[in-house]
Amino acid sequence: MTTSPALPAAVRIVEMGPRDGLQNEKRLVSADTKVELVRRLEAAGLKAIETTAFVSPKWVPQMGDNAEVLGRVLAAAVPGVAYPVLTPNLKGFEAALAAGAKEVAVFGAASESFSRKNINCSIAESLERFRPVTEAARAAGVRVRGYVSCVAGCPYEGAVAPQAVAEVAATLMDMGCYEISLGDTIGSGNPASIARMLEAVMRRVPAARLAGHYHDTYGMAVANIHASLQMGVAVFDASVGGLGGCPYAAGASGNVATEDVVWLLNGLGVGTGIDLDALVDVAAWISAQLEREPASRVARAVLAKRAQAGCA
Ligand code: HMG
Ligand code: MG
């Protein structure tokens, strides 16, 4: 008889809704709505909420209110909750620090073409830009997370070699990133390709320092999380209501919906500390703000069941 590998007792979910979820919205979402979204996510039990991005407002206008949003969120920060923000370079880091950031994230890619489209430089140049960010962060006592995009495929180059992902991930870890989040930016991965990628990365970076950041374009993200869990990954990024997409990956849909991940983990008996019903309320609320239905299958099912029971 074969036995399944042991699953972790608990998983940490890093909520992406306010940043990855909203960055691609064409219509500007008000700072009030963004701050309210963070407050509602805290109340549902999220302990890490990526709040905004200190990127160029010419590149991503939706994040142009970064200092206001982070400042207002931190003014009523909940103890024990982390509010990381994206910082592509020293300029972004200094602005984030001035707004009070205690955690930032640098974001690189395993594909040259995506690196150029997303942050206007080669992979090697990006790593040289991140180095002073990690040094300044260390001096300021700020934690740094690292992202690698295009871990399973690139919108411009197609398949990406697992070795290329491993190389960037290891460099970010050596630079001092406490965790490396592996981004399937276009959601083209499947459990087999994600496992091959993780095998290569884990030869360089221990599983305890990895996170899965899977977009759900082809509906594979939950399966990819299950495969990653079985390989020892215990941190996953997700976006309430399945909001989002990357401005530099046309056609890519949002991160896996946080509700779908919590449903999976509840079913597997893996703890998250998140209240699924409260989270579905947040998905319904932000989707209504954006005048759409939640993309999440679980949110839709829970809402339909509630409506049937006459308590929607
Ligand atoms: P650049 O044009 O090469 O930068 O952009 P530059 O250094 O040449 O500066 C040009 C102008 O931008 C100057 O202003 C700078 O001051 C300004 P000007 O003199 O023209 O008025 N500038 C900035 N302004 C505000 N904040 C900054 C900043 N830096 C320079 N930090 C840059 C380079 C990285 C800034 C640009 O390409 C950029 O902002 N890119 C952002 C792309 C982005 O946000 N993409 C989405 C997030 S990544 C993602 O979604 C993937 C992820 O989810 C994982 C996954 O799914 O795979 C993380
Ligand atoms: Mg992403």
Side-chain angles (χ1 to χ4, degrees):
M1 195 180 86
T2 55
T3 52
S4 307
L7 297 179
V11 149
R12 176 167 165 267
I13 293 186
V14 182
E15 172 60 42
M16 292 287 130
R19 195 281 299 172
D20 208 340
L22 295 182
Q23 70 184 10
N24 209 28
E25 286 296 322
K26 296 284 168 287
R27 200 161 11 121
L28 286 185
V29 177
S30 72
D32 284 352
T33 302
K34 290 170 181 166
V35 174
E36 175 72 17
L37 175 59
V38 173
R39 298 277 96 100
R40 287 175 184 248
L41 289 164
E42 291 161 349
L46 270 306
K47 293 281 181 254
I49 304 171
E50 196 164 82
T51 300
T52 184
F54 285 81
V55 297
S56 163
K58 287 183 192 147
W59 285 63
V60 186
Q62 188 64 255
M63 297 288 113
D65 55 5
N66 44 29
E68 179 189 352
V69 170
L70 183 63
R72 287 174 59 185
V73 163
L74 293 179
V78 173
V81 177
Y83 304 95
V85 296
L86 292 191
T87 54
N89 52 20
L90 205 48
K91 185 179 172 77
F93 175 76
E94 280 163 1
L97 193 64
K102 303 274 182 298
E103 180 173 336
V104 301
V106 292
F107 50 105
S111 143
E112 285 294 349
S113 307
F114 185 81
S115 181
R116 288 202 176 277
K117 296 273 186 194
N118 194 39
I119 50 174
N120 204 23
C121 60
S122 69
I123 296 171
E125 284 163 347
S126 76
L127 295 169
E128 284 319 304
R129 283 184 193 175
F130 300 155
R131 201 171 295 283
V133 173
T134 56
E135 283 163 8
R138 194 174 306 120
V142 167
R143 298 220 302 169
V144 186
R145 198 173 194 237
Y147 283 100
V148 186
S149 282
C150 299
V151 300
C154 166
Y156 312 102
E157 293 181 14
V160 169
Q163 215 43 53
V165 182
E167 191 59 41
V168 179
T171 307
L172 290 174
M173 181 180 71
D174 293 345
M175 240 180 240
C177 293
Y178 77 90
E179 184 170 276
I180 314 299
S181 178
L182 300 166
D184 182 8
T185 318
I186 55 171
S188 62
N190 59 60
S193 62
I194 291 289
R196 280 194 297 276
M197 179 276 295
L198 286 175
E199 267 165 28
V201 173
M202 284 178 189
R203 276 185 222 115
R204 309 280 300 276
V205 180
R209 291 184 66 175
L210 294 175
H213 175 109
Y214 304 141
H215 284 257
D216 205 20
T217 318
Y218 293 87
M220 290 293 110
V222 163
N224 293 340
I225 289 175
H226 193 228
S228 308
L229 269 174
Q230 290 175 313
M231 294 180 70
V233 179
V235 182
F236 295 98
D237 300 352
S239 178
V240 65
L243 294 177
C246 176
Y248 301 100
S253 69
N255 288 107
V256 64
T258 315
E259 308 86 275
D260 294 7
V261 183
V262 173
W263 177 271
L264 170 76
L265 296 170
N266 284 352
L268 294 172
V270 176
T272 63
I274 296 168
D275 176 337
L276 181 62
D277 273 316
L279 186 63
V280 168
D281 290 340
V282 185
W285 175 80
I286 188 62
S287 301
Q289 300 298 310
L290 301 173
E291 298 174 359
R292 70 182 65 136
E293 295 296 314
S296 154
R297 303 280 289 269
V298 168
R300 285 172 183 241
V302 171
L303 291 167
K305 202 169 168 193
R306 283 187 199 166
Q308 221 172 24
C311 61

